[in-house]
Amino acid sequence: MVLNYIWISFFIIAFAVSLYRWIFLGEVQAFTDVMNSTFTSAKSAFEISLGLTGTLTLWLGLMKIGESGGAIQALARVSSPVFRRLFPDIPANHPANGSIFMNIAANLLGLDNAATPLGLKAMKELQEINPQKATASNPMIMFLVLNASGLTLIPISIMVYRAQMGASNPADIFIPIMIATLISTLIGVITVCFRQRINILDPVLLLFFGCISILILGIVFAFRSMSQEQIELWSSAIANFILFSIIICFIVTGLRKKINIYNAFIEGAKEGFHTAITIIPYLVAMLVAIAVFRSCGAMTMLENGIARLVEAFGFNSEFTGALPTAMMKPLSGSGARGMMIDAMRTYGADSFVGRLASILQGSTDTTFYVVAVYYGSVAIKNTRYTISCSLLADLAGVIASVYLAYLFFGS
């Protein structure tokens, strides 16, 4: 229901703002801009789905090999102490645990192309044990919030963009991003645990999140003395080595079980193709709504209103120049990336606003895109409190990003 109200609100707000621009500001092209954005975004949604088809086909084929060979079940057993507490409604040693583990690992390594199909595989398996097929289950909500919070160990793509925009030290935002995304994830998980009455003080969960924090701090200290090129080289090499090792592990376990690996791959690949087709209408619906909200000028009006409010209370409003990135991130990953690049182009890559926009881009993931794709793949219509918890995690990431930007780069 929440997604339904948000979707309708985007269109109503877009119509009201466009009507205001047309009547009071004399901008006769207002509705033309909005309508053009619907056609462009619908085309983009289809192209995104088409682009996902190959990746989904490949990875769901590989996942089928891992499942048939027993590798997924082994991962489920390894992750069960933590997942049994975060996802108490998933049966012990269920394949969904292994798929969730793989998805989270891919996200941590920054391997988006692998994370999405692995996440869709996990959603399909979670749907199998979901008693109400049109309503998001508790494990689905926890899984979606984990994805929307965007925990990533190495934000390599952001550093690459900063290098392209002429930053003197493209990796100077590395530590702030690591801290901000960790805060966002912790707030998201704690919020869901509260709603689902999961004991967040359980020793196993405390140990798990403590280990993640130590791992992040370890990476921070390891990379502090490296140049941008060295960070990019080693992080990419290690991430892809781990990923390819997993593929080989799947094939080896399949050989040990003496399964027909080729047939298993084809069977899983067919599921990937079907999933890519399934998500098209959900993705079109969400991206069109986001596009009309952006193209009508509502986003700009919101940004200017926040700036005036901040100044009215006597606070430094310098950070508002980066707010378009923060506002766009839950709606559109590519849109937020464009806002980040625009901020660096306008203010400078080494400016406070340019650095803050980069931190904001890396602190969270694209909430509405994740919800549309993942829930759309299994026809979930009632998302319950998924979006509210995800947006709370996003807000925590934004607040942390602004604070850290002032702490590290403020004058």
Side-chain angles (χ1 to χ4, degrees):
M1 291 298 291
V2 174
L3 194 59
N4 176 55
Y5 293 138
I6 291 174
W7 193 81
I8 293 172
S9 298
F10 281 171
F11 280 93
I12 294 176
I13 292 172
F15 180 82
V17 173
S18 299
L19 193 63
Y20 170 81
R21 289 173 54 196
W22 187 21
I23 295 175
F24 295 101
L25 302 181
E27 298 179 6
V28 295
Q29 83 285 0
F31 284 101
T32 302
D33 293 341
V34 171
M35 286 309 302
N36 285 342
S37 73
T38 64
F39 296 120
T40 302
S41 57
K43 179 182 178 183
S44 298
F46 178 77
E47 290 173 347
I48 291 171
S49 299
L50 192 63
L52 281 173
T53 303
T55 306
L56 283 169
T57 301
L58 169 65
W59 279 99
L60 292 192
L62 291 169
M63 287 291 287
K64 192 66 176 180
I65 296 173
E67 184 179 331
S68 301
I72 300 297
Q73 291 80 352
L75 288 172
R77 288 192 293 272
V78 169
S79 59
S80 62
V82 173
F83 285 180
R84 191 168 62 248
R85 290 162 173 82
L86 285 180
F87 302 92
D89 295 336
I90 301 178
N93 298 326
H94 192 276
N97 287 317
S99 298
I100 293 172
F101 178 88
M102 292 286 293
N103 167 264
I104 293 174
N107 276 321
L108 286 171
L109 295 171
L111 301 169
D112 296 338
N113 288 338
T116 299
L118 295 171
L120 292 172
K121 175 70 172 176
M123 286 299 293
K124 181 180 179 182
E125 291 165 345
L126 290 174
Q127 181 69 330
E128 292 174 357
I129 57 174
N130 183 10
Q132 301 180 46
K133 299 302 182 185
T135 302
S137 64
N138 284 353
M140 287 179 174
I141 295 173
M142 177 65 81
F143 179 60
L144 261 291
V145 172
L146 279 171
N147 272 269
S149 63
L151 181 61
T152 303
L153 292 179
I154 307 167
I156 191 65
S157 61
I158 297 173
M159 292 189 286
V160 169
Y161 282 118
R162 286 183 53 75
Q164 292 174 343
M165 297 302 296
S168 59
N169 179 15
D172 59 3
I173 43 77
F174 173 67
I175 295 177
I177 286 179
M178 297 285 285
I179 299 173
T181 188
L182 177 60
I183 291 173
S184 172
T185 300
L186 288 176
I187 292 298
V189 170
I190 290 171
T191 304
V192 177
C193 285
F194 177 77
R195 291 296 301 268
Q196 298 181 3
R197 298 180 181 177
I198 296 172
N199 181 16
I200 193 66
L201 298 179
D202 185 284
V204 174
L205 291 181
L206 290 177
L207 178 63
F208 172 69
F209 287 112
C211 288
I212 289 180
S213 302
I214 292 172
L215 175 62
I216 288 177
L217 290 174
I219 292 174
V220 168
F221 284 113
F223 284 174
R224 282 182 66 184
S225 59
M226 291 187 182
S227 66
Q228 158 69 20
E229 291 75 15
Q230 289 176 315
I231 292 174
E232 180 179 349
L233 175 65
W234 281 103
S235 62
S236 178
I238 293 171
N240 286 288
F241 168 76
I242 293 173
L243 195 62
F244 195 69
S245 298
I246 291 172
I247 295 174
I248 297 300
C249 176
F250 283 1
I251 294 174
V252 170
T253 55
L255 289 172
R256 290 185 60 186
K257 285 289 186 72
K258 298 180 179 179
I259 65 171
N260 189 319
I261 294 177
Y262 180 78
N263 285 346
F265 177 86
I266 296 300
E267 184 181 350
K270 290 178 180 178
E271 295 178 9
F273 181 80
H274 175 73
T275 300
I277 299 300
T278 302
I279 66 176
I280 291 176
Y282 296 91
L283 200 54
V284 169
M286 184 52 64
L287 292 190
V288 167
I290 291 169
V292 298
F293 184 80
R294 182 172 70 246
S295 62
C296 74
M299 182 69 74
T300 302
M301 293 172 64
L302 184 60
E303 176 197 346
N304 294 337
I306 292 175
R308 287 194 292 268
L309 181 64
V310 170
E311 291 169 356
F313 281 95
F315 294 112
N316 186 335
S317 63
E318 186 180 7
F319 73 91
T320 57
L323 281 184
T325 304
M327 294 176 182
M328 188 59 64
K329 192 58 192 286
L331 305 174
S332 168
S334 59
R337 185 164 56 249
M339 294 295 186
M340 175 189 70
I341 294 172
D342 182 68
M344 287 191 284
R345 183 184 296 115
T346 302
Y347 297 93
D350 289 330
S351 67
F352 176 81
V353 173
R355 284 167 166 153
L356 174 56
S358 301
I359 299 171
L360 289 166
Q361 174 71 2
S363 64
T364 59
D365 208 335
T366 313
T367 294
F368 288 101
Y369 174 84
V370 169
V371 169
V373 171
Y374 281 25
Y375 280 154
S377 68
V378 290
I380 293 292
K381 296 179 175 59
N382 183 1
T383 63
R384 298 171 66 198
Y385 47 87
T386 305
I387 293 177
S388 59
C389 289
S390 297
L391 291 179
L392 184 60
D394 290 344
L395 178 61
V398 170
I399 294 173
S401 297
V402 173
Y403 173 78
L404 291 165
Y406 277 112
L407 181 66
F408 280 82
F409 309 115
S411 55

